[in-house]
Amino acid sequence: MSVLIFDSNCELWHTRAEELGLDYISMPYMYNGEEYYYDLGKNTDFKKFYNAVRGGVVPKTMALNPENYKEILSPYFEKGEDVLYVSFSHKMSGTFGSLDIALKELKEKYPERKCTVFNTLSISIGALLQVEAAAELKKQGKSDEEIIEFLNDFTNKVSLYFMVDSLMHLKRGGRLSATAAVAGTMLGLKPVLTCDEEGGLKVIEKVSGRKKAIRKLAEKVVEALTHPEYKVYIVDADCPEDGQALAALVREKRPDATIVTQTVGPVIGSHCGPGTLGVAFVSDSRPIPLK
């Protein structure tokens, strides 16, 4: 028997996680001298967090350590359960080095148990779509091997696009080079980013002005959505009006789309900053196809 888990950087909303019966790993963040663990929006004060960032507070995110992972995984192994962990992109955090250390130590204590980790090569709602699809397969009784086989193909069909008000948040967190950050914020350009073939971030387009950038995100969905049986997810970092505007633009051209809107969590928000807007959906190929 195995258990499917994910981490909160995949940003599946807490009510949906409960509906699917999924456990998750809460990822940490800190601001105003206090440490928090993201709970998928259950008790998160989003307004307090984003107001603090707009006021000049610099939030921090931290990697979990090996002991954290051992505490998280040991209860499953003690019950004789294996774990299938669908994770956010390993390229974006050193936390997975700690996970590797923990798994090696746990293997010595529980030699018959295993933890299979699937790297979605994405983050936030791009990873969410993969977690949700995996969970539906799990409910159907599919094996871990069957789910991994599905995800290996599905991950190349999940399209994630997002825009930020300023690339300097990503630069500060080491998610983007200083050169790219400075170049992307010149002349009032709004950069559109995605995840590359290694699961890192890449600017793929620069649009003049925020309204044009929102229309550009809508165009991406309208043009490339080929699997409307999967939801279209839209997230905003404390700019819900823009999220609703993007949803309206998509619905106008693609009434067949089922659109879900939600807020970007503080861990992701620590790196992308307030005003970020993103969309994820299933197409024939992700924006930068896997090699």
Side-chain angles (χ1 to χ4, degrees), residues 8-9 11 13 27-31 34-53 57-62 123-124 169 172 236-238 262-274:
S8 62
N9 283 354
E11 302 211 292
W13 198 249
M27 303 306 291
Y29 63 101
M30 178 181 287
Y31 73 103
E34 292 194 36
E35 186 176 34
Y36 302 85
Y37 287 81
Y38 185 44
D39 61 359
L40 302 177
K42 189 170 187 177
N43 296 299
T44 308
D45 192 335
F46 294 102
K47 185 62 69 175
K48 178 182 176 182
F49 172 78
Y50 283 111
N51 281 344
V53 177
V57 170
V58 179
K60 296 180 180 179
T61 61
M62 298 78 72
I123 198 165
S124 186
H169 292 281
R172 186 187 65 232
D236 71 87
D238 199 37
Q262 62 186 59
T263 307
V264 175
V267 179
I268 307 300
S270 294
H271 296 288
C272 65

Side-chain angles (χ1 to χ4, degrees), residues 89-108:
S89 172
H90 295 197
K91 181 81 171 180
M92 295 192 195
S93 177
T95 198
F96 296 103
S98 294
L99 175 61
D100 290 340
I101 293 170
L103 289 177
K104 288 178 182 178
E105 295 180 10
L106 287 170
K107 191 65 178 177
E108 295 178 1

Side-chain angles (χ1 to χ4, degrees), residues 1-7 21-25 68-87 96 99 102-103 106-107 110-119 131 134 138 142-145 147-148 151:
M1 179 179 176
S2 72
V3 176
L4 175 66
I5 67 172
F6 67 104
D7 55 69
L22 296 181
D23 292 342
Y24 66 94
I25 298 171
N68 294 142
Y69 281 112
K70 287 194 288 185
E71 290 174 6
I72 291 165
L73 295 172
S74 289
Y76 299 112
F77 293 165
E78 288 171 0
K79 290 187 290 185
E81 296 173 328
D82 292 330
V83 174
L84 173 57
Y85 171 23
V86 181
S87 75
F96 296 103
L99 175 61
L103 289 177
L106 287 170
K107 191 65 178 177
Y110 305 97
E112 296 182 356
R113 301 274 61 83
K114 66 177 180 178
C115 175
T116 303
V117 183
F118 181 80
N119 179 1
V131 171
K138 190 73 172 175
K142 300 296 184 182
S143 67
D144 288 359
E145 291 75 20
I147 294 172
I148 291 294
L151 289 175

Side-chain angles (χ1 to χ4, degrees), residues 120-122 155-161 192-205 220 283-291:
T120 63
L121 300 173
S122 192
T155 188
N156 201 34
K157 295 180 179 179
V158 174
S159 292
L160 170 66
Y161 295 93
V192 177
L193 299 92
T194 192
C195 290
D196 63 22
E197 66 273 17
E198 296 180 344
L201 298 181
K202 186 172 183 178
V203 177
I204 56 172
E205 207 164 338
K220 298 292 186 185
S283 60
D284 288 335
S285 180
R286 59 194 287 157
I288 301 177
L290 303 179
K291 294 179 180 178

